[in-house]
Amino acid sequence: MTDDVPRLVAKAREGHPRAVARLISLVENASPRLREVMAALAPFTGQARVIGLTGAPGVGKSTVTSALVSAYRARGMRVGVLAVDPSSPFSGGALLGDRIRMGQHAGDDGVYIRSMATRGHLGGLAWAAPQAVRVLDAAGCDVVLVETVGVGQSEVDIASQADTSVVLLAPGMGDGVQAAKAGILEIGDVFVVNKADRDGADATVRELHHMLGLGEARAPGDWRPSVVKTAAARGEGVAELAEALDKHRAWLEEHGVLAERRAARAAREVETIAVTALRERIGDLRGDRRLGALAERITAGELDPYAAADELVRGLTES
C-alpha cells in the first residue's frame, strides 16, 4: 500500500486494517509525512473513549484487556488495542506477544490490535503512543485500550494519556506497598484486583481501600476510585469492571472533567512536539560556530550557562 495519505485515511475510516497499520507505522517511524497524516486525521478525532491499563508485570494486564475487548464487542462497539511493549535492545522491536495472547480476537474485523515498542522511552508509553491513539480514534474505534509496560515508578505516565486510568494489582505480589511508593494510587480512577480466585484477594482489596482512604480529602462530587475484583482468565468480574468504567465516563462528562483532561493532553502533546523540534535544531548546531562561541564565552567566565541557553533559544526561535 502506498503512502498516499488521503487514500490511507479514507481506507482507515472504512475499517481497512492494513490502512490503519500503515498510518501507525508512519507515526512510529516519524515519517516526513507525519504532519500531513495528523492534519488529515484531525477532523475525525475526539470520539473514542481512551482507557489506560497499567500495573506491575504478572498481574494479568493482557488478560484483562482481552476480556474488556470481549465485553465491548458484545455491545457492538469497535475496539482498538495499543499494547506498548519493552523494546528489544538489539532490534528495537517489541518483546511481548500481546497479539498472541489476544488471539481470540484476531479474526474480528471490529477489533484492531497493535503492539508498539517503547524504544527506550521511560514512563511505560512509546513516544508515538498519543499519535497512534489518534489514528485508532479517527479510524472509527469507539474504545481505545492502551496497555502499558509494567515499569514501576515511571508507570504514572499513563495518567496523562487516557480518559480513564485503570490500575491492576494481584494478591500475593506486595502490590499495595509498591503502588503507594510509585504514586500509582494518585493516578488510578479504577483499581482492579485481578486473579481474585487466589488467596489474599480480599486482603488486597481491604488494603487498597485503606490506602485510598488515607489520601487527600475529597470534596462532595469528586470521583472516588472504584475497586473491582476480577478473575479475568475465567471471565469473572469483567461486567463489573465495564460498569465501573461506564460510571467514571459518566462522571467525567457530567463534571466537565473529560474536556479538561483532553485539553491538558493536547497541550502536553504540543509541548512534546515543540521540545523535540528544538532538540533537533540544537543537535544540528553541534559544531556550529554560534554554539561554539557561546561555549567559549562560558569557559572564559564571560557568560553563565543559563544566559547562554537563553541566547541560544532566542537565536533558534528567531531564525
Side-chain angles (χ1 to χ4, degrees), residues 109-147:
D109 292 338
V111 180
Y112 183 87
I113 301 171
R114 175 69 175 244
S115 292
M116 294 181 70
T118 58
R119 301 186 181 183
H121 182 80
L122 295 177
L125 289 179
W127 72 271
Q131 289 84 7
V133 168
R134 199 180 299 276
V135 171
L136 294 173
D137 183 4
C141 290
D142 300 297
V143 179
V144 177
L145 303 173
V146 184
E147 179 194 327

Side-chain angles (χ1 to χ4, degrees), residues 5-6 9 20 22-28 30-45 127-138 269 273:
V5 171
V9 170
V20 177
R22 186 59 194 145
L23 287 171
I24 293 180
S25 293
L26 291 174
V27 166
E28 275 197 288
S31 165
R33 308 202 69 177
L34 184 53
R35 290 176 182 270
E36 184 183 355
V37 169
M38 290 298 112
L41 294 176
F44 309 112
T45 58
W127 72 271
Q131 289 84 7
V133 168
R134 199 180 299 276
V135 171
L136 294 173
D137 183 4
E269 193 174 350
I273 292 169

Side-chain angles (χ1 to χ4, degrees), residues 30-115:
S31 165
R33 308 202 69 177
L34 184 53
R35 290 176 182 270
E36 184 183 355
V37 169
M38 290 298 112
L41 294 176
F44 309 112
T45 58
Q47 305 304 313
R49 297 172 59 175
V50 183
I51 300 171
L53 296 99
T54 187
V59 297
K61 290 190 295 294
S62 293
T63 306
V64 171
T65 300
S66 182
L68 279 175
V69 171
S70 297
Y72 286 125
R73 287 298 292 142
R75 299 182 185 182
M77 303 171 79
R78 293 188 65 195
V79 184
V81 179
L82 198 61
V84 185
D85 296 342
S87 297
S88 162
F90 303 103
S91 67
L95 289 175
L96 299 183
D98 296 276
R99 279 174 289 188
I100 295 173
R101 283 176 288 188
M102 298 181 202
Q104 68 187 91
H105 306 295
D108 188 343
D109 292 338
V111 180
Y112 183 87
I113 301 171
R114 175 69 175 244
S115 292

Side-chain angles (χ1 to χ4, degrees), residues 216-256:
E216 293 183 7
R218 294 181 175 87
D222 283 357
W223 175 253
R224 282 169 164 67
S226 305
V227 179
V228 181
K229 287 197 301 182
T230 64
R234 298 162 58 172
E236 297 175 5
V238 179
E240 290 78 3
L241 172 56
E243 182 181 352
L245 295 173
D246 289 343
K247 287 181 179 177
H248 185 250
R249 171 72 175 200
W251 178 87
L252 289 173
E253 293 178 337
E254 180 184 349
H255 292 81

Side-chain angles (χ1 to χ4, degrees), residues 89-314:
F90 303 103
S91 67
L95 289 175
L96 299 183
D98 296 276
R99 279 174 289 188
I100 295 173
R101 283 176 288 188
M102 298 181 202
Q104 68 187 91
H105 306 295
D108 188 343
D109 292 338
V111 180
Y112 183 87
I113 301 171
R114 175 69 175 244
S115 292
M116 294 181 70
T118 58
R119 301 186 181 183
H121 182 80
L122 295 177
L125 289 179
W127 72 271
Q131 289 84 7
V133 168
R134 199 180 299 276
V135 171
L136 294 173
D137 183 4
C141 290
D142 300 297
V143 179
V144 177
L145 303 173
V146 184
E147 179 194 327
T148 72
V149 183
V151 291
Q153 296 194 17
S154 297
E155 197 70 298
V156 295
D157 197 44
I158 186 60
S160 66
Q161 303 294 348
D163 301 329
T164 300
S165 297
V166 180
V167 176
L168 280 81
L169 304 97
M173 297 183 67
D175 285 321
V177 175
Q178 290 303 314
K181 289 170 63 177
I184 281 181
L185 290 177
E186 283 74 24
I187 64 103
D189 298 306
V190 176
F191 290 85
V192 176
V193 177
N194 192 35
K195 304 182 181 180
D197 48 341
R198 292 184 177 180
D199 291 340
D202 290 336
T204 302
V205 170
R206 285 195 300 271
E207 183 181 7
L208 258 177
H209 279 298
H210 174 68
M211 294 202 306
L212 288 169
L214 294 176
E216 293 183 7
R218 294 181 175 87
D222 283 357
W223 175 253
R224 282 169 164 67
S226 305
V227 179
V228 181
K229 287 197 301 182
T230 64
R234 298 162 58 172
E236 297 175 5
V238 179
E240 290 78 3
L241 172 56
E243 182 181 352
L245 295 173
D246 289 343
K247 287 181 179 177
H248 185 250
R249 171 72 175 200
W251 178 87
L252 289 173
E253 293 178 337
E254 180 184 349
H255 292 81
V257 179
L258 180 62
E260 291 176 6
R261 286 194 176 188
R262 290 187 169 183
R265 189 158 75 222
R268 280 187 292 268
E269 193 174 350
V270 171
E271 180 184 353
T272 299
I273 292 169
V275 169
T276 299
L278 279 173
R279 281 177 177 162
E280 288 174 354
R281 295 186 68 179
I282 290 172
D284 292 341
L285 281 177
R286 296 212 176 128
D288 185 282
R289 60 180 181 79
R290 287 176 293 175
L291 188 56
L294 289 171
E296 288 176 4
R297 290 174 64 191
I298 292 171
T299 56
E302 299 172 3
L303 198 65
D304 68 85
Y306 289 93
D310 289 341
E311 192 170 327
L312 179 62
V313 170
R314 278 196 301 271

